[in-house]
Amino acid sequence: MRIDAVIASLESLPHTNPEILYASLIGASLMFSFLVLNSGGSSMALPDGGDADSLNKPKKISNAKPVSSSDEPQPKWHILRLTNYVVTFGFLLSVLKFASNATTYLDDSTSLLQFLIIWSISMCYFFGFFGISFIELDELESEPQNHQHQMLRKPMPTKESAEPPVKVVKMHPPASSAPVCTDTTSFKKPSPSIPANIKELSNGEIASLVLQDKVKDHQLEKLLDPHRAVEVRRLKVDNQLDSLGRGGALAELPHKHDLDYKRVLGANCEIVVGYIPIPVGMAGPITLNGESVYIPMATTEGCLVASTNRGCKAITQGSGAVSSILRDGITRAPCVRLPSAKEASEVFLWIERPENFQKLKEVFESTTSFGKLLEARPTVAGKNVYIRLRCFAGDAMGMNMISKGSLAVIECLRQVFPNISLVALSGNMCTDKKAAAINWIEGRGKSVVIEATIPKGVVRSTLKTSVPAIVEANVNKNLIGSAMAGVVGGFNAHASNNVTAVFLATGQDPAQNVESANCITLMEETPEGDLWISCTMPSIEVGTVGGGTGLPAQAACLKAIGVKGGGENPGDNAKQLAHVVAAATMAGELSLMAALASNSLVAAHMTHNRKPASK
């Protein structure tokens, strides 16, 4: 039917204003086009056959330090947005003008041709460009669909605003590569979809394939030589860290051929990114308090990083980990001696009075800029008084800080009790680097409790066991078995394994693993049949300034976590590191208990933690 015939038939309808009808039809068409063009605007997925290189950061992944996307020139999106409005307004004007006198324009071929040209150009523009400027800029991120990050975006304040900048949180999906020590299929021959000429590709191109999940992370050593595999993995990990604002974190982490990675592969460590001077693996991501975190672990125990990585994956597939700090204070307990037990009791009672504690607090805090004396708890044994001082130490672990303040406290006591004598600055009631019930009960350093809920489907698919089986194994091993052994703070599967690995990687005092690994692991089956797990760790002793944290390699690992140096508020970074230690511990507990529940532990270690005999 010709268009003039349609218009004539519409005009013949009774009680119908043709101008309004035409405008309504065109308006409805525009609304429909707008919805179609802008639907699904929250994500930009790459088609299977698309040019992934244009979106997947191959230019960014190079042997040079990655450049933040904020440093690159950005398109002038506001101009395109303005153009959209101008074209739309012009198109509507032309439609309204035509509708106002449609019969006349249809009879005039010249005018009709002008309208058709204008409309054709407008439609070409609409289908080609309309809606681009309305897409969020973050949706143009150069990552494939299966690596899209969930982002919680809030407006950033202007320079004139007094409010601090709001943190942008990026969420990474669970690690897609299969855990080496828990999935025998991960050691099968590489998939035929891997490019046959992969060795001829640049390191950046291979890292891009890993980010796209076209090449599995743990297959790199088999596809390339172990040394090149580490270089490629560093590019991949640095790219992931860069999206969290920590690009270049691994620059100071040694990785050259000083360490023979061929000896490491299959025997000591997985997901290798360097050494300190033992291999360092990177587990994660794990969702911790709503953020994605990667965990550096220094170890020579094969399967530890891979097992922890499996736990991180299961936790991230579930609720994520939620961690809380219950107490924060390092302790030192000087031992002083009096001539008699009566005088010792007088010292005890004097310290117990609140007004006298304030005197001790003042002299203690006069020795430090960050330290705050929180508590002074005396204990009498005959003529001896053990004064357990608890101090907030900011981002330092705090032993030097509290030791210096403790001497000032003793001098203050000597002014009141001239016969007091200092036997030892540390009287072993601290208690430092020894198993002690007082740390288990009262806490030392950071007291942390962390929990997560793992859906029963994830327990089956990722952990290869069932919820009732893992809960029963935990009760009989970690609770009853530990009680029968008479342990102190050891109601766990292997907390000290993960604590020590993170301590070594981040420059902590490894000897403090003794008390820092105090942990009770609890598991329950929820009413929905899912798995609830928690780890309570009352004495994690960590710091992000001082000691080994200043060494380049250890500082690099702290930077990868996002806690290098002092925090914006004193203590923030040290607290976050304690959360990360607890998260690594819970991930390790979860994976090991799953292996025990499914009776796959020995088989996994014999298969993947033993090198074949040399011929």
Side-chain angles (χ1 to χ4, degrees):
M1 180 181 291
R2 292 179 52 189
I3 188 169
D4 55 345
V6 173
I7 292 174
S9 63
L10 291 174
E11 290 179 341
S12 66
L13 294 175
H15 310 293
T16 301
N17 188 325
E19 288 79 9
I20 296 178
L21 184 58
Y22 299 151
S24 300
L25 289 173
I26 296 300
S29 300
L30 282 173
M31 289 297 295
F32 177 77
S33 300
F34 182 87
L35 292 173
V36 170
L37 288 169
N38 289 277
S39 62
S42 62
S43 64
M44 290 186 66
L46 284 174
D48 293 339
D51 184 7
D53 292 337
S54 65
L55 291 177
N56 281 315
K57 305 185 181 177
K59 295 181 181 179
K60 183 176 177 182
I61 302 176
S62 63
N63 291 325
K65 181 178 178 179
V67 179
S68 172
S69 59
S70 62
D71 298 330
E72 299 174 354
Q74 298 295 321
K76 299 183 182 299
W77 299 105
H78 64 281
I79 296 178
L80 185 56
R81 185 187 296 274
L82 181 61
T83 305
N84 280 348
Y85 292 135
V86 170
V87 174
T88 303
F89 183 74
F91 178 77
L92 289 174
L93 281 180
S94 68
V95 171
L96 291 174
K97 183 177 180 180
F98 177 86
S100 66
N101 197 3
T103 305
T104 302
Y105 289 128
L106 285 172
D107 293 334
D108 185 354
S109 59
T110 302
S111 298
L112 181 60
L113 180 61
Q114 292 174 350
F115 278 111
L116 291 176
I117 292 174
I118 293 174
W119 294 343
S120 298
I121 293 174
S122 299
M123 294 307 294
C124 289
Y125 178 85
F126 291 155
F127 284 104
F129 299 101
F130 190 80
I132 291 179
S133 67
F134 301 124
I135 298 174
E136 287 290 330
L137 296 185
D138 292 308
E139 294 166 358
L140 298 177
E141 264 194 300
S142 50
E143 293 227 7
Q145 184 179 17
N146 62 343
H147 285 284
Q148 285 291 323
H149 301 158
Q150 305 169 19
M151 302 176 61
L152 306 177
R153 295 183 55 81
K154 297 182 180 179
M156 300 296 288
T158 61
K159 292 182 179 179
E160 293 78 10
S161 173
E163 296 180 1
V166 180
K167 187 175 182 180
V168 177
V169 179
K170 292 194 175 184
M171 300 287 290
H172 287 192
S176 56
S177 56
V180 175
C181 291
T182 54
D183 187 352
T184 56
T185 61
S186 66
F187 273 78
K188 291 182 179 179
K189 293 183 178 180
S191 169
S193 63
I194 296 175
N197 64 336
I198 188 168
K199 291 186 178 181
E200 300 174 8
L201 300 178
S202 69
N203 288 351
E205 290 172 327
I206 299 173
S208 181
L209 293 175
V210 177
L211 286 169
Q212 298 173 52
D213 205 25
K214 294 181 179 178
V215 174
K216 297 297 185 183
D217 192 342
H218 60 268
Q219 293 178 327
L220 290 176
E221 278 83 357
K222 289 186 171 293
L223 298 171
L224 313 170
D225 68 83
H227 296 285
R228 190 181 179 194
V230 171
E231 293 178 357
V232 171
R233 187 177 289 115
R234 284 171 68 93
L235 291 176
K236 170 251 185 183
V237 170
D238 193 66
N239 184 274
Q240 293 171 316
L241 294 176
D242 183 65
S243 70
L244 299 175
R246 301 164 196 162
L250 302 183
E252 298 298 324
L253 181 66
H255 73 286
K256 297 298 183 181
H257 295 182
D258 304 83
L259 183 65
D260 186 357
Y261 290 108
K262 292 181 180 179
R263 295 182 61 86
V264 173
L265 176 62
N268 301 120
C269 186
E270 300 79 34
I271 319 177
V272 180
V273 294
Y275 68 93
I276 317 181
I278 55 180
V280 177
M282 193 74 75
I286 182 172
T287 300
L288 174 60
N289 289 339
E291 298 183 28
S292 292
V293 176
Y294 291 84
I295 307 173
M297 302 173 65
T299 182
T300 55
E301 180 182 345
C303 286
L304 178 60
V305 179
S307 178
T308 304
N309 196 55
R310 179 171 77 151
C312 291
K313 178 179 180 180
I315 291 168
T316 301
Q317 288 174 319
S319 65
V322 179
S323 181
S324 302
I325 301 286
L326 305 176
R327 299 189 195 91
D328 185 4
I330 193 65
T331 61
R332 177 62 88 198
C335 173
V336 296
R337 188 171 178 85
L338 282 300
S340 66
K342 184 178 185 305
E343 290 178 86
S345 65
E346 291 173 356
V347 172
F348 175 96
L349 295 173
W350 188 91
I351 295 174
E352 288 279 279
R353 297 189 186 100
E355 63 272 18
N356 294 333
F357 170 74
Q358 288 302 318
K359 296 178 183 178
L360 299 181
K361 180 178 176 67
E362 288 176 8
V363 298
F364 182 98
E365 294 178 4
S366 68
T367 67
T368 172
S369 300
F370 295 100
K372 304 295 179 184
L373 186 63
L374 304 175
E375 183 182 42
R377 179 173 297 184
T379 299
V380 173
K383 300 177 181 180
N384 292 350
V385 182
Y386 300 85
I387 311 167
R388 195 172 194 258
L389 305 173
R390 186 165 66 90
C391 157
F392 171 75
D395 285 305
M397 188 273 290
M399 288 307 303
N400 292 334
M401 183 186 300
I402 195 171
S403 295
K404 184 178 178 182
S406 296
L407 290 174
V409 167
I410 300 304
E411 290 305 314
C412 179
L413 288 172
R414 186 172 280 120
Q415 294 176 10
V416 182
F417 303 97
N419 293 329
I420 197 171
S421 62
L422 178 62
V423 177
L425 183 60
S426 173
N428 268 9
M429 276 198 68
C430 313
T431 294
D432 190 37
K433 302 173 183 176
K434 290 166 283 292
I438 194 167
N439 291 338
W440 177 241
I441 298 169
E442 299 292 339
R444 188 172 195 253
K446 290 6 178 223
S447 298
V448 183
V449 60
I450 189 169
E451 65 179 342
T453 300
I454 318 299
K456 54 188 175 184
V458 174
V459 174
R460 287 193 300 268
S461 61
T462 299
L463 299 177
K464 313 298 182 185
T465 186
S466 66
V467 174
I470 194 172
V471 169
E472 182 182 13
N474 185 74
V475 169
N476 287 283
K477 169 184 167 61
N478 289 340
L479 303 184
I480 299 175
S482 297
M484 294 301 294
V487 301
V488 175
F491 296 88
N492 58 77
H494 68 152
S496 127
N497 236 343
N498 294 81
V499 170
T500 303
V502 178
F503 271 32
L504 289 173
T506 57
Q508 309 306 307
D509 188 339
Q512 288 184 321
N513 146 61
V514 176
E515 60 268 36
S516 295
N518 280 340
C519 173
I520 181 169
T521 300
L522 300 176
M523 297 185 188
E524 297 176 6
E525 184 175 3
T526 69
E528 296 77 21
D530 298 329
L531 174 65
W532 176 84
I533 179 174
S534 77
C535 289
T536 304
M537 306 179 70
S539 49
I540 299 178
E541 298 162 3
V542 292
T544 58
V545 297
T549 64
L551 297 174
Q554 286 85 338
C557 290
L558 289 171
K559 185 177 180 181
I561 299 173
V563 295
K564 178 183 177 183
E568 184 176 346
N569 300 310
D572 282 357
N573 280 357
K575 289 178 181 178
Q576 176 64 8
L577 181 56
H579 288 308
V580 171
V581 171
T585 301
M586 185 168 69
E589 292 286 284
L590 182 63
S591 187
L592 176 56
M593 290 309 302
L596 290 170
S598 62
N599 294 314
S600 61
L601 176 67
V602 175
H605 274 266
M606 294 305 296
T607 302
H608 308 306
N609 197 21
R610 293 290 184 273
K611 298 190 71 66
S614 57
K615 297 181 180 179

